[in-house]
Amino acid sequence: MKNIIIAIDGPAASGKSSTAKRVAQQLGYVHVDTGAMYRAIALKALRLGITADNVDAIDAMTRSTTVRLEYDQEKKLHVMLDDADVSEEIRMPDVSNAASAISAVPAVRELLVREQRAMGTAGGLVLDGRDIGTVVFPNADVKIFMVADAYERAVRRAKELEDKGIHADIYALEREIMERDKNDSTRAHSPLKKADDAFVIDTTRLTIEEQTAFILSKAKERIG
Ligand code: CDP
């Protein structure tokens, strides 16, 4: 059986990570949540009080930072920043906004893209992010571009936060999501963009099972 690479890109909160996780589980593959890696770098910058416009300070910080994804016995993903588990903290809304700003800095992208490519040498990966099918793995076997209405995305993100005990205003989240999409799509380095050969899935009215099944069917065609 061939070990393929599946790239899932798309705007904020469109369902990429939860779908990628299920696809990986079904295939016995590794799920690489690349957004979590950008979030980890953003968390470090927030802790140090470094803002995205201070490119020199970010460059220096990046040189002395490690971000790794680790998987426990239950295959649960842990995001390790300088060897400390930051999986929970990186989901806070202020980290989302900081991640969008800091991910435009070339040194940050170079560090994380190198790490992501190293994970993919043997295939058997499902990666989700913004630039997977266009930059990180332009030869990925299956490429998906996942979209959904901004309001629906805000409702889903509010529910995720609610499950963690964090109350968030849906309209504020919708504005934040749209702002982040704008930043991510208009930046000079690796902007959010559909790869020419990606399948578009609009998840506004789909269930997670339906979108997972679609990707699995495409993956199985390639696996043979
Ligand atoms: O889950 P959500 O859609 O809120 O965002 P995420 O995937 O965790 O990514 C957080 C931020 O990291 C995004 O807004 C992007 O700016 C950035 N990112 C990126 O630039 N490239 C990636 N491959 C993944 C995330």
Side-chain angles (χ1 to χ4, degrees):
M1 221 167 76
K2 204 175 142 205
N3 270 337
I4 65 166
I5 291 196
I6 302 172
I8 306 179
D9 290 303
S14 54
K16 304 177 300 287
S17 279
S18 34
T19 310
K21 185 172 157 193
R22 284 174 180 241
V23 171
Q25 267 167 357
Q26 295 281 326
L27 295 172
Y29 280 15
V30 171
H31 169 212
V32 179
D33 178 348
T34 65
M37 301 170 84
Y38 289 93
R39 284 169 178 270
I41 298 269
L43 177 66
K44 181 158 178 179
L46 279 174
R47 283 177 178 166
L48 296 173
I50 303 173
T51 51
D53 51 357
N54 192 347
V55 174
D56 290 342
I58 292 176
D59 278 7
M61 182 193 88
T62 308
R63 278 195 291 278
S64 59
T65 302
T66 59
V67 177
R68 300 259 142 74
L69 300 182
E70 289 183 4
Y71 303 85
D72 63 22
Q73 281 173 337
E74 279 90 52
K75 298 234 170 129
K76 189 172 178 311
L77 187 153
H78 295 267
V79 185
M80 309 301 291
L81 171 65
D82 298 329
D83 297 324
D85 192 336
V86 293
S87 309
E88 293 296 324
E89 281 164 276
I90 58 165
R91 298 297 160 194
M92 297 299 148
D94 57 338
V95 181
S96 307
N97 297 329
S100 185
I102 214 164
S103 64
V105 179
V108 172
R109 304 207 71 83
E110 275 150 31
L111 171 79
L112 297 184
V113 168
R114 203 180 320 125
E115 189 72 32
Q116 290 153 17
R117 286 187 180 142
M119 293 178 83
T121 46
L125 287 193
V126 185
L127 304 100
D128 76 277
R130 303 291 186 288
D131 58 341
I132 310 302
T134 50
V135 175
V136 184
F137 287 109
N139 297 324
D141 303 271
V142 177
K143 296 185 190 178
I144 305 290
F145 196 75
M146 205 171 257
V147 297
D149 285 354
Y151 180 74
E152 176 62 28
R153 291 188 275 141
V155 170
R156 291 180 192 164
R157 186 47 49 94
K159 186 166 179 312
E160 268 173 31
L161 291 169
E162 208 70 63
D163 290 345
K164 297 191 171 108
I166 304 162
H167 175 73
D169 175 69
I170 292 179
Y171 293 103
L173 274 179
E174 185 185 13
R175 278 196 300 280
E176 179 258 303
I177 281 173
M178 286 163 68
E179 185 63 30
R180 209 140 57 85
D181 288 352
K182 191 165 136 235
N183 287 344
D184 293 349
S185 326
T186 54
R187 69 182 175 218
H189 198 311
S190 307
L192 165 67
K193 194 165 96 200
K194 184 184 101 58
D196 292 338
D197 49 351
F199 296 102
V200 178
I201 309 182
D202 184 337
T203 70
T204 310
R205 280 169 205 86
L206 291 183
T207 63
I208 183 136
E209 288 78 17
E210 288 168 325
Q211 63 222 34
T212 303
F214 177 85
I215 301 173
L216 282 173
S217 72
K218 295 294 166 202
K220 283 175 184 159
E221 282 169 19
R222 301 305 298 260
I223 293 169

